[in-house]
């Protein structure tokens, strides 16, 4: 218990360690034209339950030694996050499917709880960072077995779906005309796995910075970095790779600059330019991007689907409640009503989280999440060039790039929990104590 410091940190560390595992109870579903879709499933994840129980038990056991407090300069992000949650809850009254939207708000509430819990003053960050990194080791081992074995069995207990390189619909590399299964690990998709590993790299470098003068530091640091990079390569997640690269590049810029007054606005502008430039390149040079992962029919279909979703976004928004949107989690089902008659696999969220939030939570929700993110970044930028603050900044850049390429950060519990973890670390890492 000395390492954790208190029971709250211990239970939160256990939850963070288990976040990669997707065991859940599915209690309902909404079909599209009579066909099952993952985006219509209502479920409750084991880690959500453990988070609530663990936090309550931890605070109860710690009540005599530490009262839960939030530092004054950390309260603004908490408030903006609360406003976002309230808007999402109110939006269920105007949602296309109120019951389904409420089920999605439950995930959002759990993510907000995780964010608030980590921001509590008495919660220690180092055990959480260690737990996050060590929690990725079993999924990486499983991912390597998936890549080299070509298959992965299903497990209800562990929340694993069956995967096979020969199965159409499963994510693969195309190598010499052969289908090679990408690393799913314990996640629903390799891209989600890649996002977790990308954040895990910066978490690993942060914890190892404390051991620079210890024996075997170099060997341990290189081994851990190598293991995470191997896992990232086999996920095939270009957005996660790009996020790690941009995060490292912007960190180096901050370290090299003498004036933090210039560094803060500069890296903000460069970050957005990196997003805009990479988006332009991904659509303008699609054949080059496809070659990175083996090309083939899968890449062409993926790009075609993404372009179609962008083309129909504005017409879809014209039938949206402008203030509250279609309701949390309702994008796919509402889009299927808007553009009916297609195969169920054609319906998926737009691969752009800001646009997805705008469609689901409307203008009010969109403004609330911008305010929340800005309040978090303001705290982080104010701590430059503190090395822990820069590590959190690197994590944030992984998230930033993924926001504009994938939808899972908003459309899945795994993604919401990853955002909550990163944003809470961004608030806390680099504080004076």
């Amino acid at each position: 218990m000395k390492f954790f410091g208190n029971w709250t940190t211990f239970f939160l560390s256990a939850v963070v360690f288990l976040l990669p595992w997707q065991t859940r109870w599915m209690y309902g579903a909404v079909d599209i034209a009579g066909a099952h879709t993952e985006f219509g499933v209502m479920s409750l994840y084991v880690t959500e339950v453990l988070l609530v129980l663990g936090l309550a038990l931890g605070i109860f056991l710690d009540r005599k030694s530490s009262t839960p407090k939030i530092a004054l300069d950390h309260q603004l992000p908490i408030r903006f996050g609360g406003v976002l949650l309230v808007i999402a809850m109110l939006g269920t009254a105007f949602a296309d499917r109120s019951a389904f939207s409420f089920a999605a708000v439950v995930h959002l509430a759990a993510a907000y709880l995780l964010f608030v819990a980590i921001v509590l003053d008495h919660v220690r960050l180092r055990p959480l960072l260690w737990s996050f990194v060590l929690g990725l080791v079993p999924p990486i081992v499983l991912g390597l077995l998936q890549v080299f074995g070509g298959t992965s069995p299903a497990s209800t207990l562990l929340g694993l779906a069956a995967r096979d390189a020969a199965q159409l619909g499963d994510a693969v590399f195309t190598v010499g005309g052969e289908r090679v299964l990408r690393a799913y690990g314990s996640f629903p998709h390799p891209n989600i796995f890649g996002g977790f590993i990308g954040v895990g790299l910066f978490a690993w470098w942060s914890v190892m910075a404390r051991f620079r003068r210890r024996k075997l530091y170099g060997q341990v640091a290189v081994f851990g970095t190598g293991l995470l990079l191997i896992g990232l390569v086999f996920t095939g997640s270009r957005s996660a790779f790009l996020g790690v690269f941009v995060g490292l590049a912007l960190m180096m810029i901050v370290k090299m600059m003498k004036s933090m007054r210039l560094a803060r606005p500069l890296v903000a502008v460069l970050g957005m330019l990196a997003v805009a430039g990479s988006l332009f390149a991904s659509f303008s040079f699609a054949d080059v991007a496809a070659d990175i992962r083996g090309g083939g029919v899968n890449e062409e279909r993926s790009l075609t689907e993404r372009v179609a979703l962008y083309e129909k976004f504005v017409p879809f928004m014209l039938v949206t409640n402008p203030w509250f949107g279609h309701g949390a989690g309702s994008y796919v089902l509402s889009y299927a009503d808007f553009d009916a008659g297609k195969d169920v696999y054609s319906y998926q969220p737009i691969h752009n989280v800001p646009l997805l939030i705008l469609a689901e939570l409307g203008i009010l929700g969109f403004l609330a999440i911008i305010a929340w993110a800005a309040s978090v970044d303001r705290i982080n930028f104010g701590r430059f060039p503190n090395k822990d603050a820069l590590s959190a900044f690197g994590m944030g850049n992984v998230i930033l790039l993924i926001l504009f390429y994938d939808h899972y950060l908003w459309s899945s519990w795994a993604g919401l929990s990853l955002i909550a973890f990163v944003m809470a670390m961004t608030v806390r890492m680099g504080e004076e104590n």
Side-chain angles (χ1 to χ4, degrees), residues 157-400:
L157 182 62
L158 298 177
L160 301 176
R163 306 293 178 188
D164 196 307
Q167 176 67 41
L168 295 179
D170 283 350
V172 297
F173 301 101
T174 304
V175 181
E178 296 291 328
R179 290 170 59 90
V180 178
L181 190 66
R182 290 167 60 188
Y184 278 79
S186 55
F187 293 89
H189 194 278
N191 286 352
I192 307 178
F193 192 12
F196 267 75
I197 295 177
V199 170
L201 277 166
F202 287 98
W204 174 245
W205 295 329
S206 177
V207 295
M208 289 308 298
R210 301 281 179 176
F211 299 93
R212 287 186 181 231
R213 298 181 181 179
R214 302 286 183 91
K215 292 182 179 180
L216 301 179
Y217 161 78
Q219 295 91 322
V220 174
V222 170
F223 175 79
T225 300
L227 180 64
L228 289 166
L229 284 175
I230 288 172
L232 183 57
V233 168
F234 284 122
T235 67
S237 175
R238 292 186 294 244
S239 58
F241 254 113
L242 187 60
V244 171
F245 174 78
V246 171
L248 284 173
L250 294 181
M251 283 176 62
M252 294 300 296
I253 290 174
V254 174
K255 286 185 176 181
M256 289 187 296
M257 294 192 69
K258 296 181 179 180
S259 172
M260 289 302 105
R261 288 188 177 182
L262 292 176
R264 292 161 189 159
L266 179 61
V267 295
V269 172
L270 290 177
M272 296 312 300
L273 287 176
V275 171
S278 60
L279 281 172
F280 173 78
S282 67
F283 286 105
S284 301
F285 305 101
D287 53 342
V288 176
D291 287 341
I292 297 175
R293 209 159 58 191
V297 176
N298 291 324
E299 294 294 334
E300 295 177 6
R301 184 182 63 186
S302 176
L303 181 64
T304 300
E305 290 173 348
R306 291 181 183 228
V307 170
L309 288 169
Y310 273 100
E311 288 176 344
K312 293 191 177 183
F313 182 77
V314 172
F316 177 57
M317 284 299 296
L318 293 177
V319 297
T320 302
N321 182 318
W323 297 110
F324 290 100
H326 287 282
S330 298
Y331 185 97
V332 172
L333 300 176
S334 297
Y335 185 78
D337 295 336
F338 167 76
D339 190 23
K342 295 183 177 180
D343 186 273
V344 65
Y345 296 107
S346 300
Y347 298 111
Q348 57 182 299
I350 188 169
H351 292 70
N352 185 306
V353 170
L355 295 183
L356 184 57
I357 292 172
L358 182 61
E360 291 191 351
L361 299 188
I363 296 172
L364 294 178
F366 183 78
L367 292 177
I369 203 163
I370 292 295
W372 175 65
S375 66
V376 172
D377 287 340
R378 181 175 176 273
I379 293 173
N380 180 243
F381 282 21
R383 294 175 180 156
F384 286 177
N386 179 281
K387 61 183 179 180
D388 287 331
L390 288 179
S391 294
F393 177 64
M395 295 181 198
N397 277 283
V398 174
I399 295 299
L400 175 65

Side-chain angles (χ1 to χ4, degrees), residues 12 15 46-56 109-111 113-114 117 413:
L12 279 178
V15 171
V46 168
T47 45
E48 293 178 288
V49 177
L50 292 178
L51 170 63
V52 175
L53 296 178
L55 184 59
L113 180 62
L114 177 61
W413 161 243

